[in-house]
Amino acid sequence: LSIGAGLDTLLTQSGRFWRGNGRFPDAIPFLALGLFMTAVSWPLLQDEYQTIERDWKGAAEYIAQEATPDDVIVTMPVDAATEFNAAVLMLPYYLNRIGAPQKVLAVRHLTQSQLDNLPENGAQVWSVVVNRQKQAPEGELVSFQGGLQVRRSPIPTEPVARQMMDMIEQYLPAARAPLPQCFLQEDLAYLYARAQDFATADQLFGAAKSGCPEQVDGRYGSQDLFTLIAHGLIDDYERDGAITDARQIAAQLLSLNPKDEKALQILTAVNLLQTFQDGAAQITAVPNVEPVQIKRYTMPHNGDWGDVLMIHPPNAISYQIELPDEPTRLQFRIAMFPDSWEWGGDGATFIVSVETDAVPATILFNQYISNDSVDRDWHEVAIPLTDFAGQTITLTLATDPGPNGDFTGDWAGWETPRIVYNTE
């Protein structure tokens, strides 16, 4: 095909030369070279055409004859040095030419909707693979001249998804180059996750991501593969009483998606925003000052939002908390209300203090946030509470005005403060 493309380019250029110069003798060398290349390349082109016709047309005709309309055809890359899957282009074309109705799914191109629409049972899975290494799993296999292999699933009584998993596993050893191997592992991990075998899915996806970190992204339509696996593992670990393992997975998930609700739930010992909503917090009220309330702040430059306890200076809110025996930390994000940035104020100071029956009030955190451009974003905070494990503490979140004592627009927000379990 590349020879044909080069020939076409050469003849086109010779024609342009002739039209531009109007001198036929000067064009003769170009035309002679073009005719020579045609003579040389024609047998190669003819052989390529015959191979395609025999292999792909033959495979399509074989499938149309042997498979039922409900059967599923799976194509996958095996011996290529990239993820290129020739079957995903060629097979549907020839099946359509002969009017065969079979469903064709392409590994590396599997989608959530395709798998959702698969029959559960009653259909057989076929694999169509270009495998010039000739390595193939045992079972009923038809091979064609150019390395094309068609294989019927040996376990037709199994669910369709299980048959697909078996097909990919059988061919995985033949995929020696990193890219096809990684993509086979990734799709196999997705199928295992859908089958709720999350431990196996985690191993496969980890291997795929390790082998091809820049190419494997884990996206399957609206589903993120790592999130799907992590949620399943959290449920499995909780059911088995392995809470430490569940928290470890949750921490990994939060590093990618800080708002993942399942991960937050397993890691949170006390949600101070929810405690405030439940009326179990003590507010130090100051007359003529905005009351403590819950608001949503959204950063205009990137849309990053968060629900906050808005504590306008000089207000404070206190909690009586019995900390668990395990090590914990207080974590939150702080910011000034974006609408107030241009109101002329000088920002606010955020203060965290803690006291117990044995320890007087001690300031653990004190940070000033201005309304200047450098501070116009969320600021993440984590405060260790390990020294207070197993004790009952009074935890206070308070705000003061900025260094100029200016209270203008001091809408200071504490985004979902939580006491969470340490996972380090």
Side-chain angles (χ1 to χ4, degrees):
L1 294 178
S2 61
I3 293 174
L7 176 60
D8 179 71
T9 300
L10 182 62
L11 293 175
T12 300
Q13 292 299 325
S14 66
R16 289 176 179 169
F17 181 86
W18 161 250
R19 288 193 299 272
N21 290 272
R23 297 193 301 274
F24 179 74
D26 292 337
I28 288 176
F30 290 96
L31 294 173
L33 182 58
L35 292 173
F36 173 75
M37 288 187 64
T38 300
V40 171
S41 64
W42 182 252
L44 299 175
L45 294 171
Q46 190 175 36
D47 182 66
E48 178 71 14
Y49 174 76
Q50 290 298 326
T51 298
I52 291 174
E53 279 292 300
R54 283 194 300 266
D55 281 14
W56 293 107
K57 184 178 178 182
E61 289 176 344
Y62 175 75
I63 290 170
Q65 178 179 349
E66 298 293 329
T68 71
D70 292 331
D71 285 352
V72 177
I73 317 300
V74 178
T75 68
M76 64 186 87
V78 171
D79 68 350
T82 69
E83 78 275 19
F84 178 67
N85 186 353
V88 76
L89 299 175
M90 304 298 291
L91 186 63
Y93 170 77
Y94 283 98
L95 286 173
N96 288 335
R97 271 183 55 176
I98 61 177
Q102 280 77 20
K103 307 176 186 68
V104 178
L105 304 184
V107 170
R108 180 52 182 160
H109 299 279
L110 292 179
T111 67
Q112 177 185 346
S113 59
Q114 282 179 327
L115 296 178
D116 287 343
N117 291 323
L118 286 179
E120 179 66 22
N121 293 291
Q124 194 165 27
V125 174
W126 299 70
S127 63
V128 178
V129 175
V130 177
N131 182 22
R132 295 178 182 86
Q133 301 177 54
K134 306 299 183 183
Q135 288 182 308
E138 297 180 358
E140 184 177 343
L141 181 74
V142 176
S143 296
F144 294 82
Q145 179 177 331
L148 186 63
Q149 297 176 346
V150 179
R151 180 173 183 259
R152 184 199 306 258
S153 170
I155 48 172
T157 57
E158 294 285 340
V160 169
R162 178 63 257 183
Q163 293 182 56
M164 289 178 61
M165 292 157 66
D166 175 73
M167 286 289 192
I168 298 173
E169 287 176 325
Q170 291 291 321
Y171 270 107
L172 190 56
R176 296 179 178 177
L179 280 181
Q181 185 179 79
C182 294
F183 295 144
L184 290 173
Q185 290 170 325
E186 183 183 16
D187 276 1
L188 191 55
Y190 185 52
L191 289 168
Y192 267 103
R194 290 175 62 93
Q196 298 190 346
D197 184 347
F198 298 107
T200 303
D202 187 42
Q203 293 174 358
L204 285 164
F205 185 61
K209 194 67 178 172
S210 174
C212 309
E214 300 299 324
Q215 288 82 17
V216 172
D217 58 13
R219 298 302 308 174
Y220 288 82
S222 63
Q223 284 192 299
D224 175 76
L225 180 53
F226 180 71
T227 299
L228 181 64
I229 293 172
H231 284 179
L233 287 175
I234 289 172
D235 288 339
D236 286 351
Y237 288 141
E238 279 195 290
R239 184 177 58 251
D240 296 339
I243 301 303
T244 300
D245 291 332
R247 291 172 184 164
Q248 291 285 352
I249 291 293
Q252 294 179 39
L253 187 52
L254 286 181
S255 68
L256 301 174
N257 178 13
K259 291 185 173 65
D260 188 272
E261 286 297 329
K262 182 179 283 290
L264 287 170
Q265 183 178 5
I266 191 67
L267 283 174
T268 299
V270 183
N271 183 335
L272 302 182
L273 195 71
Q274 185 63 52
T275 303
F276 169 78
Q277 285 182 309
D278 294 341
Q282 181 179 352
I283 299 172
T284 303
V286 177
N288 303 319
V289 173
E290 289 282 346
V292 176
Q293 58 188 288
I294 295 176
K295 291 182 69 69
R296 176 163 292 186
Y297 289 6
T298 302
M299 296 300 125
H301 62 283
N302 61 7
D304 189 1
W305 60 269
D307 292 326
V308 308
L309 276 172
M310 193 195 79
I311 307 177
H312 192 294
N315 274 338
I317 182 170
S318 297
Y319 300 85
Q320 291 290 121
I321 302 169
E322 185 176 342
L323 291 177
D325 293 331
E326 301 107 305
T328 59
R329 66 182 182 272
L330 172 66
Q331 69 179 34
F332 50 85
R333 297 192 298 177
I334 50 179
M336 300 302 294
F337 185 44
D339 288 4
S340 72
W341 290 343
E342 305 295 343
W343 292 355
D346 65 343
T349 302
F350 295 74
I351 304 166
V352 176
S353 63
V354 65
E355 64 179 302
T356 68
D357 291 340
V359 179
T362 303
I363 293 178
L364 301 181
F365 174 78
N366 185 311
Q367 183 172 342
Y368 164 62
I369 303 295
S370 73
N371 284 320
D372 297 337
S373 58
V374 68
D375 280 339
R376 293 182 177 184
D377 207 340
W378 294 110
H379 301 261
E380 295 189 13
V381 180
I383 303 170
L385 298 175
T386 306
D387 292 343
F388 304 97
Q391 302 180 47
T392 299
I393 64 171
T394 299
L395 182 70
T396 301
L397 311 180
T399 53
D400 281 346
N404 298 328
D406 187 351
F407 291 88
T408 304
D410 283 358
W411 287 27
W414 306 69
E415 194 250 344
T416 315
R418 300 171 183 269
I419 295 175
V420 300
Y421 296 98
N422 287 347
T423 55
E424 291 81 5

